[in-house]
Amino acid sequence: MTAVPAIPVPAPVSFPEFAGPPVWPASAVARPGGDVALAGVPLAGLAERYGTPVHVLDEEGVRAGARAWRRALPDADVVYAAEAFLCRAVVDWTADEGLGLAVRSADELELAASRGFPADRMVLHGTAKSPRDLRTALRLGVGRIVIDSPCEIARLASQVPGPEPQQVLIRVRPGDGAEWEFGLAAAGGEAEDAAARVLGQPRLELVGLHCDPGSGAASPSPSPSPEAYARAVRRLVALLARIRERCGVPLPELVLGGGFVPGRAPGTYARRIQGELLRACAESDLPVPRITVEPGRSLIAPAGVALHRVLAIGRTPGGRTLVAVDGGRDDGPGPAPSVRMIGRLSSAPMRTATVVGRLGGPGDVLAHGVELPEDVRPGDLLALPGSGAHGAPGAGRPAAGRPPVVAVRDGRSRLLVRRETYEDLRARDTGL
């Protein structure tokens, strides 16, 4: 790792936003002069070294989150949901901490395999898996493939080379309300019919059910409470009982997906999940299945901070202050919960502002209604916590290179993903 020189200061200084709910990574420390250090590395120094915008990940924060989940559910499997963010270093951290890896494409499978990640600890998801996705999964020997629709059953079975069957899970929609259209409904017999069909395929081995309480389109909140997972457990155990009654098979696994609230202790979920599982299985006279959880955003987002330079200040006709920065909404997971100006001290009063990206459009908002000094100006450096999870740019994104990702640990930094350049963009354009 490349060392970034620390700013000599006598001692850390306490600031209110570093107390209370964990909006910032646990290693964040406010420093005299208006800077913030993450894992002992000053953020202003990282902005100078790597440029802006840049995403900074606290490696130990990610690892500590993984260990917290394993402690909370010592008898369960913890699988990292790679859709939150994946690169080679994150694959390595996931392997080191003993987690599995849930991926959604052949490319993610190949990336994990290139780092020597154990194939039997991988799970392939995807509402509509391509032929290449399935071929790659079967060639590598992934541990589980999640079946999302009835048409996948015969398609997958026909491709399994044998002699050993491919282990699969059936994705279930456990609720009664409007949800994502893929997955098999627990009500009305659809999931039971699918289970019977899978059990009739000699090249497939049905090992359990999968649901994702955090992915319902009609969820009351994008991050369900622990009670939502308890309700899912009750409904899934009832479905397990019906499958056993119809097919004579007690399925040994239950996967509860992701969608966990970033910053909420894993134990708050674990207690509700385990307690409800034991009660429901006792009532149904079922053997207790092994639980799997798939945290993604809740692991990676709290460990990240995005750094942006201010480019312009504007006002709306309604009097709102707009602060435009050198990044864009597609560079991050969503509006940041907090924004802090770093790199200089200001005695100006605080003012409510909206931080927007430079790429334009009403959706290019990085933070709503945050407090910034009244004298914020072009060239100032803003830090947006909670940005560890971020996806690829959308198809409608203007041609602007994606920002780099930098990891910090023990006072040092290293580049994980370099900045996308014009040469990268040009190389993909055939010119035809």
Side-chain angles (χ1 to χ4, degrees):
M1 298 178 87
T2 303
V4 175
I7 298 175
V9 293
V13 176
S14 176
F15 282 78
E17 64 263 47
F18 295 99
V23 172
W24 287 77
S27 69
V29 177
R31 308 186 71 163
D35 202 0
V36 171
L38 191 65
V41 182
L43 293 181
L46 290 176
E48 291 296 327
R49 182 178 184 87
Y50 297 102
T52 58
V54 58
H55 288 274
V56 184
L57 272 180
D58 180 352
E59 177 181 343
E60 181 54 32
V62 177
R63 291 177 177 272
R67 293 194 292 269
W69 272 106
R70 294 194 68 194
R71 285 194 303 270
L73 290 165
D75 298 322
D77 291 321
V78 180
V79 174
Y80 172 64
E83 64 189 280
F85 174 65
L86 193 67
C87 67
R88 287 182 290 182
V90 171
V91 172
D92 294 343
W93 302 347
T94 302
D96 291 346
E97 299 302 332
L99 271 58
L101 187 64
V103 300
R104 291 181 178 267
S105 71
D107 291 332
E108 289 181 337
L109 285 167
E110 296 282 16
L111 177 64
S114 74
R115 303 301 290 179
F117 195 93
D120 62 353
R121 283 164 50 191
M122 285 194 254
V123 182
L124 177 64
H125 285 266
T127 55
K129 303 168 192 69
S130 72
R132 178 173 170 245
D133 294 337
L134 293 178
R135 285 197 305 270
T136 304
L138 293 171
R139 172 172 55 82
L140 294 175
V142 300
R144 305 283 190 275
I145 295 177
V146 181
I147 291 175
D148 284 68
S149 63
C151 63
E152 287 189 342
I153 298 172
R155 183 186 306 153
L156 175 58
S158 68
Q159 297 184 51
V160 176
E164 296 299 321
Q166 171 64 50
Q167 294 187 334
V168 299
L169 300 155
I170 290 177
R171 184 181 177 188
V172 175
R173 303 196 310 271
D176 299 323
E179 300 173 52
W180 294 115
E181 60 182 309
F182 286 91
L184 291 304
E190 185 179 33
E192 294 169 55
D193 290 344
R197 286 182 58 192
V198 173
L199 290 167
Q201 292 282 352
R203 292 191 176 185
L204 300 180
E205 179 186 355
L206 180 60
V207 295
L209 304 178
H210 181 289
C211 78
D212 202 344
S215 291
S219 294
S221 95
S223 297
S225 69
E227 182 56 34
Y229 291 85
R231 288 195 301 270
V233 166
R234 288 195 295 272
R235 291 168 174 169
L236 288 177
V237 169
L239 177 56
L240 288 176
R242 294 197 298 273
I243 291 173
R244 183 188 61 176
E245 181 179 354
R246 174 173 171 176
C247 304
V249 177
L251 301 180
E253 298 182 20
L254 199 57
V255 183
L256 293 175
F260 303 103
V261 178
R264 178 173 281 170
T268 61
Y269 291 101
R271 286 188 290 273
R272 288 299 289 123
I273 289 170
Q274 290 175 316
E276 198 59 50
L277 181 67
L278 292 174
R279 279 191 295 273
C281 287
E283 291 170 2
S284 299
D285 192 26
L286 277 175
V288 178
R290 185 173 180 85
I291 288 288
T292 297
V293 291
E294 297 176 336
R297 187 171 59 96
S298 63
L299 274 183
I300 205 89
V305 176
L307 304 179
H308 296 272
R309 290 282 181 192
V310 176
L311 297 179
I313 308 295
R315 302 282 188 275
T316 69
R320 285 193 304 140
T321 298
L322 301 179
V323 179
V325 298
D326 56 1
R329 168 66 180 84
D330 283 327
D331 295 334
S338 172
V339 176
R340 180 180 173 85
M341 187 178 77
I342 63 174
R344 74 175 177 92
L345 290 174
S346 172
S347 58
M350 302 298 280
R351 176 174 56 193
T352 302
T354 297
V355 180
V356 299
R358 68 183 179 89
L359 302 178
D364 197 14
V365 176
L366 282 74
H368 289 285
V370 293
E371 297 296 310
L372 287 171
E374 204 168 54
D375 65 349
V376 63
R377 55 183 183 257
D380 281 336
L381 186 62
L382 302 185
L384 287 69
S387 65
H390 57 93
R397 188 183 198 268
R402 286 170 286 191
V405 180
V406 173
V408 292
R409 189 179 189 186
D410 298 331
R412 295 175 178 270
S413 72
R414 63 185 174 121
L415 185 66
L416 300 185
V417 181
R418 66 169 173 81
R419 189 180 302 279
E420 192 174 44
T421 66
Y422 166 69
E423 292 301 323
D424 296 321
L425 298 173
R426 189 179 70 172
R428 297 184 63 200
D429 190 334
T430 66
L432 299 178

